[in-house]
């Protein structure tokens, strides 16, 4: 590639002197968004009681956020490319803080649901802007590895940190602080970003907004996420659930057809059809399916079966967080510039699967030290090691004008994966629990024996679902090893053919620039 071509791509600009300071504020914002996904779950029972939310409606505290966030991510990514990532990032933080204040001050269920939807809207602006800022600010291979190692650790471990923080706030203050805690995060991150971030020039995509693409993608993703959410509560054979899945398929197919024809598409198909990125979006989405379901089961297991308090439950997740941070910042970052990404992603997902295999051995009286501790450590190490190159490679080699939508696709695969994981694995667990209790309740004479059968049934449900999660992670590893054929940044590319070769040429662009 000629020097002029490199310069035209926007990669050859000298790196910004304040990029490491910027990383602190970008990471803080990402932590806030990831924390919010789990911190509210811990506070939900208390909020439900205070606000008089019915059991039938309580799911909307989670669903309102998920629908707005998941449905608008591609639009948010495109807005970041159009308006500028820094401006979108600061706007997203400001809006998220206002929405969090409304949630904390909620006096009825309508106000709560509205504030959660508003958090989702601004989260959909914030998340892709944060990741795409990293993508355009860190172009040197070694620096990029360190930056994405930190980002990957936060993206993976932040959810577990949310369980600890949510437990503390709910137990020692009250549920409203699980919303108010976002406000200082947002103010500090927005002020720091405004003062420190200098977005590289020439990276804007000033093409007119693809309105049909926005409408079709938003409605299609909302229908998909709602379909899985409804399946969890109403069953897979429910008429509305089936209608949502059919509607989603039609809308997303129409979206692909529109994108292949319009002059300035919302999601240029080149972003997802490139072999490496396609493999990453798919394997990452599958890994999140396995992981989100596991978070839920372990939380229930520790609190309901083992009788842990919310705070103690949060601390029980610390080995997983430690594993993720180690895998991402030490293993992934150190090896990213030495080996091909697939040799980190594939084995990483397999190590996580081995960790989950430990957790299939759960019983009512299982020792934390013997089973849960090694299982969570391995799960964290594997996921951290795999997430780091996945996050980096998903945006590497992308033209600057497409950085926002490429980043949005990473978040979309995670968000949709989370919705699928919660619904699918919950359904499997519930079915196994019902079956176990039906088979064993007849032999339970006393009340204490019946309670024991109930607990054993719940654990049987969790382990059945975790077996599925193990299989999903093995498939994610196979996809990563098969599809991702890019060479290590700065080194010789792994030979491939067709689209793979083009990707390898792209992946070397940042190195040529330096």
């Amino acid at each position: 590639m000629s020097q002029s071509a490199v310069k035209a791509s926007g990669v050859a600009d000298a790196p910004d002197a304040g990029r490491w300071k910027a990383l602190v504020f970008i990471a803080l914002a990402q932590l806030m968004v990831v924390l919010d996904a789990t911190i509210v779950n811990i506070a939900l029972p208390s909020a439900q009681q205070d606000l008089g939310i019915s059991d039938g409606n309580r799911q909307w505290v989670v669903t309102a956020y998920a629908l707005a966030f998941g449905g608008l991510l591609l639009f948010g990514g495109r807005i970041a490319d159009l308006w500028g990532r820094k401006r979108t990032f600061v706007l997203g933080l400001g809006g998220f803080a206002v929405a969090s204040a409304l949630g904390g001050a909620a006096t009825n269920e309508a106000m709560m649901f509205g504030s959660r939807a508003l958090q989702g809207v601004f989260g959909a602006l914030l998340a892709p802007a944060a990741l795409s800022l990293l993508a355009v600010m860190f172009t040197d291979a070694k620096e990029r590895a360190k930056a994405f190692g930190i980002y990957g650790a936060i993206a993976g471990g932040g959810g577990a940190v949310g369980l600890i923080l949510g437990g503390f706030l709910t137990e020692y203050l009250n549920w409203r602080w699980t919303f108010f805690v976002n406000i200082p995060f947002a103010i500090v991150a927005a002020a720091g970003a405004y003062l420190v971030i200098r977005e590289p020039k020439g990276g804007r995509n000033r093409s007119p907004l693809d309105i049909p693409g926005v409408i079709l993608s938003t409605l299609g993703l909302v229908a998909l996420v709602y379909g899985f959410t409804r399946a969890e509560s109403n069953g897979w054979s429910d008429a509305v659930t089936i209608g949502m899945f059919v509607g989603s398929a039609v809308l997303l197919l129409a979206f692909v057809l529109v994108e292949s024809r319009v002059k300035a598409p919302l999601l240029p198909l080149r972003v997802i059809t490139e072999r490496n990125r396609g493999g990453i979006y798919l394997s990452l989405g599958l890994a999140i399916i396995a992981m989100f379901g596991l978070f839920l089961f372990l939380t229930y297991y520790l609190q309901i079966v083992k009788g842990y308090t919310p705070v103690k439950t949060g601390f029980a997740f610390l080995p997983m967080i430690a594993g993720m941070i180690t895998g991402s910042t030490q293993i992934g970052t150190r090896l990213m510039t030495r080996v091909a990404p697939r040799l980190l992603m594939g084995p990483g997902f397999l190590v996580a699967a081995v960790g989950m295999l430990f957790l299939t051995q759960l019983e009512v009286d299982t020792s934390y030290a013997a089973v849960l501790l090694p299982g969570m450590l391995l799960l964290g190490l594997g996921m951290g090691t795999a997430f780091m190159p996945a996050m980096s490679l998903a945006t590497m080699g992308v033209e600057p004008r497409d950085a926002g939508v490429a980043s949005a696709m990473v978040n979309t695969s995670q968000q949709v994966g989370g919705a699928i994981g919660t619904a699918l694995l919950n359904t499997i667990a519930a079915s196994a629990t019902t079956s176990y209790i039906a088979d064993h309740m007849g032999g339970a004479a006393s009340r204490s024996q019946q309670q024991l059968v109930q607990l054993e049934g719940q654990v049987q449900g969790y382990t059945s679902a975790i077996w599925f999660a193990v299989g999903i992670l093995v498939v994610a590893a196979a996809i990563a090893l098969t599809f991702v054929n890019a060479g290590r940044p700065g080194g010789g590319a792994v030979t491939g053919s067709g689209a793979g070769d083009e990707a390898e040429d792209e992946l070397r662009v940042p190195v040529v620039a330096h």
Side-chain angles (χ1 to χ4, degrees):
M1 181 178 283
S2 68
Q3 288 296 321
S4 60
V6 173
K7 188 167 278 190
S9 73
V11 183
D13 292 336
D16 176 29
R19 61 195 179 282
W20 290 108
K21 290 178 185 174
L23 174 62
V24 173
F25 300 111
I26 293 169
L28 188 65
Q30 174 64 13
L31 179 61
M32 181 188 73
V33 172
V34 176
L35 282 177
D36 195 71
T38 52
I39 198 170
V40 174
N41 290 344
I42 294 279
L44 185 53
S46 304
Q48 182 185 353
Q49 190 175 358
D50 269 12
L51 300 178
I53 301 172
S54 68
D55 284 348
N57 284 342
R58 70 180 173 189
Q59 64 158 332
W60 284 101
V61 176
V62 175
T63 305
Y65 177 83
L67 291 181
F69 189 63
L72 292 169
L73 271 166
L74 283 176
F75 177 61
R78 179 67 181 85
I79 288 293
D81 288 335
L82 180 65
W83 287 356
R85 287 152 204 113
K86 176 180 173 177
R87 184 183 298 174
T88 307
F89 182 70
V90 172
L91 175 66
L93 282 165
F96 203 90
V98 171
S100 297
L102 288 172
T107 53
N108 54 51
E109 63 178 32
M111 192 171 170
M112 170 61 76
F113 300 156
S115 70
R116 288 292 284 160
L118 202 58
Q119 277 186 316
V121 170
F122 286 104
L125 286 176
L126 177 59
L131 185 55
S132 58
L133 275 170
L134 282 192
V136 298
M137 291 178 80
F138 290 90
T139 52
D140 176 74
K142 288 187 178 179
E143 286 194 349
R144 187 181 177 91
K146 287 179 186 175
F148 276 89
I150 294 166
Y151 187 89
I154 289 169
V161 175
L163 296 172
I164 299 174
L165 191 57
F168 262 109
L169 294 171
T170 305
E171 205 165 315
Y172 297 116
L173 292 171
N174 67 45
W175 65 267
R176 294 183 185 278
W177 283 96
T178 60
F179 287 89
F180 291 145
V181 74
N182 290 330
I183 298 170
F185 273 97
I187 290 171
V188 172
Y194 183 79
L195 294 171
V196 170
I197 291 177
R198 298 287 180 271
E199 190 177 344
K201 294 177 182 177
R204 295 270 191 97
N205 184 346
R206 299 185 187 276
S207 304
L209 200 57
D210 169 22
I211 300 298
V214 169
I215 294 169
L216 289 170
S217 69
T218 301
L219 292 178
L221 288 169
V222 164
L224 182 64
V225 173
Y226 184 59
F228 279 107
T229 306
R230 189 176 173 88
E232 186 185 348
S233 55
N234 294 66
W236 296 90
S237 57
D238 174 67
V240 177
T241 302
I242 294 169
M244 284 293 160
F245 286 137
V246 172
S248 172
V250 171
L251 287 163
L252 292 177
L253 182 61
F255 171 66
V256 172
L257 290 173
V258 166
E259 297 309 275
S260 65
R261 286 172 166 76
V262 296
K263 188 176 180 182
L266 173 71
L267 174 64
L269 296 183
R270 61 180 174 269
V271 171
I272 54 172
T273 54
E274 193 275 301
R275 176 176 179 157
N276 289 281
R277 280 191 288 278
I280 291 224
Y281 297 145
L282 193 54
S283 61
L284 203 57
L286 287 169
I288 293 290
I289 289 175
M291 198 165 134
F292 260 60
L294 185 79
F295 269 169
L296 195 68
F297 298 140
L298 283 183
T299 303
Y300 280 129
Y301 175 78
L302 292 169
Q303 289 195 27
I304 295 172
V305 179
K306 304 295 279 185
Y308 284 20
T309 64
V311 172
K312 191 176 179 183
T313 301
F315 277 107
F317 278 96
L318 277 178
M320 190 187 295
I321 300 171
M324 280 183 177
I325 292 170
T326 303
S328 189
T329 62
Q330 299 305 311
I331 301 171
T333 299
R334 290 175 189 276
L335 295 181
M336 179 69 181
T337 54
R338 299 178 187 178
V339 300
R342 67 176 177 182
L343 299 181
L344 290 172
M345 289 180 65
F349 288 138
L350 290 176
V351 168
V354 172
M356 281 206 184
L357 272 177
F358 270 87
L359 300 173
T360 60
Q361 308 308 306
L362 287 179
E363 293 177 1
V364 172
D365 58 352
T366 292
S367 159
Y368 177 85
V371 175
L372 285 154
L373 179 62
M376 288 203 278
L377 267 173
L378 286 171
L379 182 66
L381 270 174
M383 286 294 200
T385 302
F387 272 22
M388 186 261 139
M391 293 282 186
S392 177
L393 194 61
T395 53
M396 192 183 284
V398 178
E399 295 178 41
R401 65 196 172 111
D402 293 336
V405 287
S407 303
M409 275 303 300
V410 176
N411 287 286
T412 301
S413 66
Q414 289 178 305
Q415 189 64 26
V416 173
I420 295 171
T422 306
L424 179 64
L425 296 180
N426 245 356
T427 306
I428 293 164
S431 175
T433 296
T434 304
S435 177
Y436 183 93
I437 291 173
D439 290 345
H440 293 80
M441 191 59 84
S446 66
R447 184 169 177 79
S448 61
Q449 287 177 321
Q450 289 172 355
Q451 288 175 336
L452 180 62
V453 169
Q454 293 272 7
L455 288 177
E456 287 173 344
Q458 285 189 28
V459 176
Q460 179 67 31
Y462 303 153
T463 55
S464 299
I466 292 169
W467 271 111
F468 270 84
V470 170
I472 290 168
L473 277 178
V474 171
V475 172
I479 289 171
L481 289 167
T482 305
F483 281 83
V484 180
N485 68 344
R488 62 185 176 86
V494 178
T495 50
S497 60
D501 290 335
E502 293 167 18
E504 288 148 12
D505 289 339
E506 282 185 22
L507 291 171
R508 284 195 289 263
V509 171
V511 182
V512 172
H514 295 275

